[in-house]
Amino acid sequence: MFFVDTIEVAGLGNRSYLAGGPRAAVAVDPPRDIERVIATAARRGVRIAYVVETHLHNDYVSGGLELARLTGAAYLVPADARVAFERVPVDDGDTVEVDAGLTLRALATPGHTPHHTSYVLQESGRAVAAFTGGSLLIGTVGRPDLVEPRLTGDLARAQHASAHRLAAELPDDTAVLPTHGFGSFCSASNAEGDAMTTIGHERDSNEALVKDVDSFVADLLAGLDDVPAYYAHMGPANAAGPASVDLTPPALADPTEIAERLAAGEWVVDLRSRLAFAAGHVAGAVNFEADGQLAVYLAWLLPWGKPVTLLAESPEQLAHAQRELVNVGVDRPAAAAIGSPGDWVREGEAPRTFRRAGFAELAEAYAVPGRVVILDVRRDSERAGGHIAGSVHIPVHQVRGRLGEIPAGTVWVHCAGGMRAAVAASLLDAAGREVVAVDDAFAAAVTSGLPMAQITSAGTRELRGPGAGAAPLDVRGPDDRAGAPADGGPATPVAAGCELDGPAA
């Protein structure tokens, strides 16, 4: 009998796993916030005997070293990963016994990194699950361009070969359990759904298994988008051995200190919902919702190492944000405040506000002669699929550095669903611009009467008026998906017993 529990790390777009038998288990690619992994093991009543890494991660700081230290587990890391701490080096073909009749076998699957290793869970010698990390994902693979630009082409070819190795060596009913691919920028493309998958299903649908190597590599490299800036700091942190986490609450700041920190050029981050922020906020603060992809976007936009003060509506929201942020190396807030804008502004000052609207209201404003600036903060790939004709395009992570490129006038800022638009709107508002945050799904722009355009191989093609809805527009917005469940909640059970039959209700 075996089990596999999925630990969702939705704020990063990742998953971690705990798998084992009646007495012992292995933790795979744990996040730095290890409390949920320990809690999952406690609910199962098992000892964590092994902690394994599929690779040195580029998108988050691993909790593996700390989890192994706290539990006494053996820490397994690919042998070719250059690290500065003691660990059990893992080579292709190595096996360990997790519990009676339950083994874990290492399978070299280079591509996402040169040393990437997958792990196959075997019950009585038969493969039942493969923890594929950043190798074989749902419908795609992990991106190959995060290590060294000169290696990207070779690693892309290695990804193709590794996917084929997994497909050749594992039975069709083997569950494929990747770490990336659920919104993570470590994925080469967006996963089609988040359900369980198997080797057999991927054999029929995964781009690495249905395309020849040359076509696969060409398409993979052509589709790569920007990499979050903070990724440059994650690999070195993991190689050095992450420090222990300090999640004690930061010192509380009063309105005078908040104003002084803003005046000093520090970041003051309001964690409340975008609805609440637009209705009232401290002038100069920026908005990153605690319940969205807080860690990814704050770490991406925040100049590395700059002090950050967190404004939260409750102690619980502050604690959740701290747990999220340590996963990306933002370890200790400089200060914090709890309450509402009335508690955070100095006496005699009033909170700032800005408008929120939908695409229908933008279409009405567009129809009136005057200066309407439309700012699209989606990624290049999203814009290519369809955009509002004449709009200015600056991806959200570039807005702060390109404010001077945005024309004068009221700026209507949109993304695919509202979350990134709210971040960009707060940056513009902090810079003193008049802004309207379009909090709406981009599909509504297509039917609103706004003039639409599409980027094709022949250039930009305009499609005027409501008829634009007939164009094959890509209106997906993976970064605007619902936020992560609250930390400390139960892990999603993927399997219990002898069969993997998907997450339980």
Side-chain angles (χ1 to χ4, degrees):
M1 297 289 289
F2 72 94
F3 71 88
V4 179
D5 282 347
T6 300
I7 300 167
E8 297 280 356
V9 192
L12 296 175
N14 286 336
R15 289 177 176 175
S16 181
Y17 301 93
L18 186 76
R23 292 171 295 279
V26 55
V28 181
D29 288 344
R32 198 174 183 202
D33 173 23
I34 60 175
E35 293 180 3
R36 295 175 61 203
V37 183
I38 293 172
T40 302
R43 282 193 293 272
R44 285 285 184 181
V46 297
R47 174 177 63 91
I48 299 177
Y50 297 96
V51 177
V52 303
E53 303 283 6
T54 56
H55 60 295
L56 287 185
H57 302 283
N58 289 290
D59 63 328
Y60 69 94
V61 181
S62 171
L65 185 62
E66 180 76 351
L67 181 61
R69 184 186 68 81
L70 288 176
T71 61
Y75 190 27
L76 278 57
V77 178
D80 290 340
R82 301 180 64 180
V83 297
F85 50 84
E86 292 295 322
R87 90 291 194 201
V88 179
V90 177
D91 288 300
D92 185 42
D94 286 353
T95 61
V96 295
E97 184 177 57
V98 178
D99 208 332
L102 198 63
T103 59
L104 197 69
R105 177 167 63 97
L107 221 64
T109 49
H112 187 48
T113 67
H115 60 264
H116 190 283
T117 300
S118 298
Y119 297 90
V120 180
L121 187 67
Q122 300 175 147
E123 185 183 44
S124 301
R126 186 177 186 280
V128 292
F131 301 102
T132 55
S135 182
L136 190 68
L137 311 185
I138 300 177
T140 185
V141 295
R143 59 192 299 168
D145 62 328
L146 301 180
V147 178
E148 158 61 53
R150 291 171 296 182
L151 298 178
T152 298
D154 290 341
L155 289 177
R157 290 183 175 274
Q159 278 290 50
H160 189 269
S162 292
H164 280 262
R165 182 186 185 190
L166 289 164
E169 295 192 18
L170 300 177
D172 278 357
D173 60 353
T174 306
V176 175
L177 303 174
T179 300
H180 304 313
F182 310 98
S184 169
F185 286 89
C186 275
S187 176
S189 60
N190 298 309
E192 294 296 330
D194 59 0
M196 251 185 54
T197 189
T198 63
I199 287 290
H201 179 77
E202 294 305 310
R203 190 193 310 280
D204 295 333
S205 59
N206 193 289
E207 57 191 22
L209 296 173
V210 299
K211 296 178 181 178
D212 65 83
V213 63
D214 291 332
S215 298
F216 167 77
V217 169
D219 292 345
L220 177 66
L221 299 184
L224 295 174
D225 219 324
D226 289 350
V227 176
Y230 76 90
Y231 276 26
H233 304 280
M234 300 296 96
N238 287 322
S244 297
V245 172
D246 179 5
L247 290 174
T248 57
L252 295 178
D254 61 19
T256 298
E257 182 180 347
I258 293 171
E260 289 173 348
R261 290 188 176 278
L262 282 166
E266 297 182 12
W267 274 41
V268 173
V269 174
D270 191 324
L271 300 168
R272 297 173 303 142
S273 73
R274 56 187 185 255
L275 175 65
F277 184 85
H281 55 270
V282 175
V286 290
N287 181 216
F288 292 81
E289 295 176 301
D291 292 334
Q293 285 188 294
L294 165 69
V296 171
Y297 281 98
L298 178 54
W300 193 346
L301 275 66
L302 177 72
W304 191 254
K306 182 176 282 291
V308 59
T309 295
L310 301 178
L311 306 182
E313 61 189 0
S314 67
E316 293 76 20
Q317 187 178 66
L318 175 62
H320 168 73
Q322 286 187 257
R323 287 194 297 270
E324 289 286 300
L325 291 174
V326 296
N327 285 325
V328 292
V330 182
D331 283 8
R332 291 296 300 163
I338 296 170
S340 63
D343 305 312
W344 304 332
V345 297
R346 291 176 294 191
E347 187 174 353
E349 295 179 344
R352 278 182 65 89
T353 65
F354 58 73
R355 289 178 57 199
R356 296 168 57 254
F359 282 107
E361 292 166 275
L362 173 55
E364 291 176 3
Y366 188 93
V368 177
R371 192 67 170 168
V372 174
V373 180
I374 302 174
L375 177 62
D376 180 349
V377 298
R378 297 174 301 157
R379 296 195 304 275
D380 291 346
S381 57
E382 295 173 276
R383 183 172 174 86
H387 60 271
I388 300 170
S391 58
V392 177
H393 178 227
I394 303 177
V396 65
H397 59 279
Q398 298 177 15
V399 166
R400 181 173 165 273
R402 297 173 61 184
L403 289 171
E405 299 177 29
I406 303 171
T410 300
V411 183
W412 293 66
V413 56
H414 81 86
C415 58
M419 184 272 287
R420 288 172 291 173
V423 172
S426 72
L427 292 168
L428 289 163
D429 177 79
R433 296 295 302 269
E434 184 178 353
V435 63
V436 180
V438 180
D439 196 353
D440 202 353
F442 188 68
V446 179
T447 58
S448 68
L450 286 162
M452 304 301 296
Q454 189 174 37
I455 299 173
T456 69
S457 58
T460 300
R461 179 168 62 104
E462 288 202 13
L463 301 162
R464 292 283 176 185
L473 300 180
D474 178 0
V475 297
R476 294 173 296 171
D479 302 321
D480 297 282
R481 64 187 60 187
D487 272 7
T492 303
V494 167
C498 297
E499 294 184 1
L500 290 134
D501 52 7

